[in-house]
Amino acid sequence: MSAKTLEKYLRELRSAYDYSQEFVASRLNISRQTYSHYETGRITPPLHSLYHLSGLYGIPVGNFLELTIDSAAAAKCLSEGAANTGPDNDDLNDFLNHISIPENHKKFKFLKRREKLILYYYQLLDDRDQEDILSFMKVKCRNRKAKIPPGASSAGISVS
């Protein structure tokens, strides 16, 4: 992640989740123009904005801190446990790279965040594991349907 800049990372995240600058700005309680300055590098986001971005995207705030402070200070923060590093960071970077490919971006564009993650990880599995996942989902749907009282809606879920 060291080759990335904060502004590039913010643009990639927003694009991957198909959020508008207006939407992200409203979540941060700032103007769209201010958020735009975050993405162009004219303004470095304050810590509370980084914290809210972390919550919005479901990633450790350390991902942003590493890009905003010098490497010595980042190393100190990391050693004190202020940032959560590990496989999740690699997963997110892999996901962002995968979704930025034009043909993949089209597939993911209208999906919700959770749907994007499910589809991404599903595509990484081999055929046998994909079949296991489908079987599991079918069983879960059947079990849920069996628990619904007669006459209640099953939310349009059909299991084949």
Side-chain angles (χ1 to χ4, degrees):
M1 202 160 51
S2 59
K4 284 187 184 179
T5 61
L6 178 62
E7 53 270 17
K8 182 178 178 185
Y9 193 51
L10 291 173
R11 281 191 304 269
E12 286 177 355
L13 283 168
R14 185 176 55 78
S15 175
Y17 287 92
D18 204 28
Y19 292 157
S20 66
Q21 285 186 343
E22 181 102 9
F23 175 78
V24 176
S26 71
R27 297 301 212 128
L28 299 177
N29 229 4
I30 59 174
S31 70
R32 188 206 56 81
Q33 292 82 0
T34 299
Y35 181 77
S36 175
H37 290 320
Y38 292 175
E39 286 193 1
T40 61
R42 289 183 76 189
I43 299 174
T44 299
L47 187 56
H48 69 274
S49 289
L50 296 176
Y51 174 77
H52 290 297
L53 287 165
S54 172
L56 177 65
Y57 295 117
I59 58 174
V61 73
N63 287 22
F64 299 113
L65 291 175
E66 290 174 9
L67 299 172
T68 58
I69 53 183
D70 65 46
S71 59
K76 182 180 177 189
C77 279
L78 291 172
S79 68
E80 293 173 357
N84 182 11
T85 59
D88 289 341
N89 291 343
D90 294 335
D91 286 350
L92 178 64
N93 289 331
D94 291 343
F95 174 72
L96 291 173
N97 290 334
H98 179 75
I99 203 169
S100 67
I101 299 169
E103 60 270 12
N104 291 339
H105 183 72
K106 290 177 186 176
K107 284 193 288 189
F108 285 84
K109 185 174 184 176
F110 297 107
L111 298 176
K112 295 177 184 168
R113 178 178 178 261
R114 181 173 283 177
E115 293 167 333
K116 289 177 184 180
L117 291 171
I118 289 169
L119 183 58
Y120 169 69
Y121 286 112
Y122 180 81
Q123 291 175 346
L124 294 178
L125 299 172
D126 62 23
D127 289 342
R128 184 174 176 193
D129 288 336
Q130 288 179 352
E131 285 300 319
D132 288 346
I133 295 297
L134 286 174
S135 296
F136 173 76
M137 292 172 72
K138 288 176 184 178
V139 168
K140 289 295 280 182
C141 287
R142 285 185 190 121
N143 289 345
R144 174 142 318 175
K145 195 172 186 177
K147 292 179 184 179
I148 296 175
S153 170
S154 62
I157 299 174
S158 63
V159 181
S160 55

